[in-house]
Amino acid sequence: MGAVTLSQVAQAAGVSLATASRVLNGSARTPGAGVAERVRDAAQALGYVANAQAQALARSSSGLLGLIVHDIADPYFSSIARGVQRVAQAEGRTLLLAGTDGGPAEERAALEVFASRRADAVVLAGSRQESPDNAALRREAERYLRNDGRLVLLGHALTDDASVLEIPHERLAGELADALIDDGARSFHLVGGPEGLLTSDQRLRGFRGALAARGLSEASLRRAAFGRDGGFAAGAALVPVLRESRQRGEWPVVFAANDRMAMGVAAALREQGLHAPSDYGLAGFDDIDTLRDFQPGLSTVHLPLEGIGAAAARVALGGEAEPVRGQVILRESTRRV
Amino acid sequence: MGAVTLSQVAQAAGVSLATASRVLNGSARTPGAGVAERVRDAAQALGYVANAQAQALARSSSGLLGLIVHDIADPYFSSIARGVQRVAQAEGRTLLLAGTDGGPAEERAALEVFASRRADAVVLAGSRQESPDNAALRREAERYLRNDGRLVLLGHALTDDASVLEIPHERLAGELADALIDDGARSFHLVGGPEGLLTSDQRLRGFRGALAARGLSEASLRRAAFGRDGGFAAGAALVPVLRESRQRGEWPVVFAANDRMAMGVAAALREQGLHAPSDYGLAGFDDIDTLRDFQPGLSTVHLPLEGIGAAAARVALGGEAEPVRGQVILRESTRRV
DNA sequence: AAAGTTTCGGAAAGCGCTTGCCAAGTGGCG
DNA sequence: CGCCACTTGGCAAGCGCTTTCCGAAACTTT
């Protein structure tokens, strides 16, 4: 009851295995027209579907592209995934997906799985973070690279040999800070992910750097989980601080290191009767899709997430890296009334 | 330069290929402890990673689970994908992902790709719709099933042989209508996807059925693309209608066949100065994650999307189907002031 | 027309692994 | 001590396909 094999097709067409293979599965040599047609007809009639596993084994190239993300349900990653998937499909590759919830240990495991599938290339999309497990991940990456795998990291390097699609978190965060200052903001509260999470750290560093360059510094810095709930927690803790700031006649601006945190902050503050932009300013980072219907419109740094995914996939498939461009976008949430 | 093979490990450990295989890649027979250790050490030292392709070929079972969605960046699908991925990972399967943008032709192609990879099972998550391409998709599905593949559909049947994880769209939409009527709503405007899109049709049918059962009927019905932009377009078209309804002293309620459409509707109406719930009521369907930070809180039908994905994956892997439970959730958007 | 060139189908050797079968070794028991 | 029942490792036959190498046939060329 198993699937139809090439040799069955060959037999039905009255040709050899080799000929059938050449006709059906693309080869340098193209058999004569008559033979080719017979083979194709037989394949059609039998409902032949080539066994990609066997092809991969024989060709020693699997046509597989792996994607490792923290959480596919997070709009940040799902947008990137969409880009990767689009390119993979266009290039005739099959996409393998793994979710790791951010742990380097899980990332290592996922990479090993992909390596065992002999994926031609892997895109590792999660933010790096400091962890004792990183050494193991790095070793796994090096082994994968040594076995002719291509590995593309998003944003941060892992080993010298893997390609990196650079994302200018730091610079863009600086530009955001500049834009806010130009807009008149003077009092800043920062909300970031846990220390050691590179994406978050770079954004905070860029923001603070820009403040310092203008002779300013942040009024407070809070760290929490790098997602909506972390933002909520940080926001709740910010309530009294912002209230005091208001009483001093200031208009405090909260910069959260990503949009999800910013949304959490907004939710927490809203619960306490504080609203942006009237009571405080709020800015995020990423410009995830979700923002489109978020009120008030959130000032942020736009990152072309789907394009980033696509670019990463192209690099993984042997293409050239193109620089990632982000852009500061000021919306209502920082429009002081 | 290629990867380390089992036979290299066997040689290094001074045992036969068969023994090495039994030690490393799980077999009914477990070799003696001393030998096992030698093999494991050798594997470790050489950095051996089993070739899953070759294993799949030899075992004739690939350990692959395919997932076909319309758009992985859509929170509806990405939540489902998360569930599928979680179960796949927990069960030691590798997840293949394909996005189709909703076309049955692309779904067929994706299914063929997964079939050629000899995926043990496939979850087809997109909504069915009437299309001439459906016949080809059905044939592909039947072929896949005939070749011992397992296929799980989400929501709607495709062929008699494929499992279906039923989602009671119709019943739940009816319950939502009932709840709204109980709340005092009397004037209803429906916004749905294109005719023939089963998910949308079932939800509309359920909603209208419940209206009819209470002696009501919808004041208008509009169809547009089954996403945020479609909702926006429909919302824009609704403006005059709702205005008139208001002038008659009514409080019109808009039911959109999914949350994304509802959000589009809200955006369009907001632009025209109409706000929920003061000017109109608004309800959606799905309770996607995004809703968490949407203002006003959107009344909807909660579907445990991640759980649905997980359940589908379990069925695909041979488990029992558990019924999908949804739940009407009334939030601020239909709380008449 | 003979020799050289090209074209084309087929045989067979892998790709890296699993597994049925066999032979040798081990221990238990009468 | 001899026989039997197990264990345990190894041999070899695949799994379904690609691809190299051959030989035969079909053309050219002079």
Side-chain angles (χ1 to χ4, degrees):
Chain A
M1 204 51 179
V4 179
T5 70
L6 227 209
S7 74
Q8 292 175 39
V9 173
Q11 191 163 13
V15 301
S16 78
L17 198 55
T19 304
S21 167
R22 288 196 266 253
V23 172
L24 294 175
N25 303 321
S27 136
R29 281 176 51 180
T30 325
V35 181
E37 195 172 340
R38 261 199 351 260
V39 173
R40 254 186 284 272
D41 287 351
Q44 179 69 37
L46 294 173
Y48 171 72
V49 179
N51 184 327
Q53 316 263 10
Q55 292 185 311
L57 191 56
R59 288 184 183 143
S60 65
S61 148
S62 64
L64 254 21
L65 173 62
L67 172 63
I68 301 176
V69 298
H70 285 182
D71 174 7
I72 189 62
D74 179 329
Y76 175 80
F77 289 111
S78 66
S79 289
I80 290 176
R82 184 177 148 89
V84 173
Q85 181 254 309
R86 225 188 43 213
V87 170
Q89 218 129 320
E91 301 288 324
R93 312 310 171 96
T94 308
L95 187 62
L96 295 172
L97 178 71
T100 63
D101 284 323
E106 288 81 5
E107 293 183 325
R108 193 207 62 73
L111 186 53
E112 181 175 352
V113 168
F114 290 176
S116 89
R117 297 270 166 202
R118 296 298 186 265
D120 299 332
V122 171
V123 174
L124 180 48
S127 166
R128 307 292 88 236
Q129 61 192 290
E130 284 161 16
S131 155
D133 295 329
N134 273 340
L137 172 58
R138 184 171 304 116
R139 272 199 305 277
E140 193 71 49
E142 278 158 3
R143 167 158 70 170
Y144 179 64
L145 290 163
R146 218 176 307 123
N147 292 341
D148 296 326
R150 300 183 62 98
L151 179 61
V152 179
L153 282 280
L154 235 52
H156 325 283
L158 176 64
T159 84
D160 293 341
D161 301 324
S163 320
V164 179
L165 194 68
E166 302 280 358
I167 302 180
H169 296 297
E170 192 166 336
R171 177 170 59 73
L172 290 168
E175 290 180 12
L176 174 60
D178 281 336
L180 294 172
I181 297 171
D182 290 345
D183 239 30
R186 287 295 177 276
S187 163
F188 294 96
H189 298 264
L190 311 193
V191 173
E195 187 151 15
L197 189 67
L198 264 50
T199 303
S200 170
D201 285 351
Q202 292 178 0
R203 293 174 179 180
L204 292 178
R205 189 177 323 128
F207 200 95
R208 301 169 86 174
L211 293 187
R214 307 281 286 258
L216 298 168
S217 69
E218 75 272 13
S220 79
L221 164 61
R222 289 192 155 60
R223 293 178 178 281
F226 200 48
R228 197 261 184 198
D229 291 337
F232 191 93
L238 271 173
V239 173
V241 186
L242 296 186
R243 284 240 160 81
E244 284 166 30
S245 173
R246 288 296 284 163
Q247 276 169 351
R248 286 194 298 274
E250 299 170 349
W251 181 66
V253 170
V254 178
F255 167 60
N258 72 24
D259 292 336
R260 310 249 297 164
M261 292 198 89
M263 292 169 81
V265 167
L269 294 181
R270 191 165 46 230
E271 281 191 1
Q272 303 298 319
L274 291 171
H275 296 269
S278 53
D279 300 316
Y280 69 104
L282 179 62
F285 205 112
D286 286 338
D287 200 24
I288 53 177
D289 269 6
T290 316
L291 245 45
R292 195 159 167 197
D293 288 292
F294 182 75
Q295 294 285 323
L298 186 66
S299 292
T300 190
V301 172
H302 173 77
L303 245 32
L305 295 171
E306 186 177 338
I308 288 176
R314 267 185 235 111
V315 173
L317 265 30
E320 279 299 298
E322 47 206 280
V324 172
R325 287 181 215 292
Q327 192 186 354
V328 171
I329 299 192
L330 297 186
R331 300 200 178 96
E332 194 192 341
S333 70
T334 52
R335 205 161 292 150
R336 186 175 186 173
V337 278
Chain B
M1 202 52 178
V4 179
T5 71
L6 227 209
S7 75
Q8 291 175 38
V9 173
Q11 191 164 12
V15 301
S16 79
L17 199 54
T19 305
S21 168
R22 290 196 265 255
V23 172
L24 295 176
N25 303 321
S27 138
R29 282 176 49 180
T30 325
V35 181
E37 194 171 341
R38 259 196 355 258
V39 173
R40 254 185 284 272
D41 287 351
Q44 179 71 34
L46 293 173
Y48 171 72
V49 179
N51 184 328
Q53 315 264 10
Q55 292 185 313
L57 191 57
R59 289 184 183 141
S60 65
S61 147
S62 64
L64 254 21
L65 172 62
L67 172 63
I68 301 176
V69 298
H70 285 183
D71 174 8
I72 190 62
D74 180 329
Y76 175 81
F77 289 111
S78 67
S79 289
I80 290 176
R82 186 178 146 88
V84 172
Q85 180 254 309
R86 227 188 42 213
V87 170
Q89 219 130 321
E91 301 289 324
R93 312 309 171 97
T94 307
L95 187 63
L96 295 173
L97 178 71
T100 64
D101 284 323
E106 287 80 4
E107 292 183 326
R108 192 207 61 74
L111 186 53
E112 180 175 351
V113 168
F114 289 176
S116 88
R117 296 272 167 200
R118 297 295 185 268
D120 298 332
V122 170
V123 174
L124 180 48
S127 166
R128 307 292 89 235
Q129 59 191 294
E130 286 160 17
S131 155
D133 295 330
N134 273 340
L137 172 58
R138 185 170 304 115
R139 273 198 305 278
E140 193 70 50
E142 278 159 3
R143 167 158 70 168
Y144 179 62
L145 289 163
R146 218 175 308 123
N147 291 341
D148 296 326
R150 302 184 61 99
L151 180 59
V152 179
L153 281 280
L154 235 53
H156 326 283
L158 175 64
T159 85
D160 293 342
D161 301 325
S163 320
V164 180
L165 194 68
E166 302 280 358
I167 302 180
H169 296 297
E170 192 166 337
R171 177 170 60 72
L172 290 168
E175 289 180 14
L176 174 61
D178 281 336
L180 293 173
I181 297 171
D182 290 346
D183 240 30
R186 287 295 176 274
S187 163
F188 293 96
H189 298 264
L190 311 194
V191 173
E195 188 150 16
L197 189 67
L198 263 52
T199 303
S200 170
D201 285 350
Q202 292 179 0
R203 292 174 179 180
L204 291 178
R205 189 177 325 129
F207 200 94
R208 300 170 85 173
L211 292 187
R214 307 282 285 259
L216 297 168
S217 70
E218 75 271 15
S220 79
L221 164 61
R222 289 194 154 61
R223 293 178 178 282
F226 200 49
R228 197 260 183 200
D229 292 336
F232 191 92
L238 271 173
V239 172
V241 187
L242 295 187
R243 284 240 161 81
E244 284 164 29
S245 173
R246 287 298 282 165
Q247 275 169 353
R248 287 195 297 275
E250 299 170 352
W251 181 65
V253 170
V254 178
F255 167 60
N258 73 24
D259 291 337
R260 307 248 300 163
M261 290 197 91
M263 292 169 81
V265 167
L269 294 181
R270 191 165 46 228
E271 282 191 1
Q272 302 298 321
L274 290 171
H275 295 270
S278 51
D279 301 314
Y280 71 104
L282 179 63
F285 205 112
D286 286 339
D287 200 23
I288 53 176
D289 267 7
T290 316
L291 245 45
R292 196 160 167 197
D293 287 292
F294 182 75
Q295 294 287 322
L298 185 67
S299 293
T300 191
V301 172
H302 174 77
L303 245 33
L305 295 170
E306 187 177 337
I308 288 176
R314 268 185 234 109
V315 172
L317 265 29
E320 279 299 297
E322 47 206 282
V324 172
R325 288 181 214 293
Q327 192 187 351
V328 171
I329 300 191
L330 296 186
R331 299 201 179 94
E332 195 192 340
S333 70
T334 52
R335 205 161 291 149
R336 186 173 187 172
V337 278

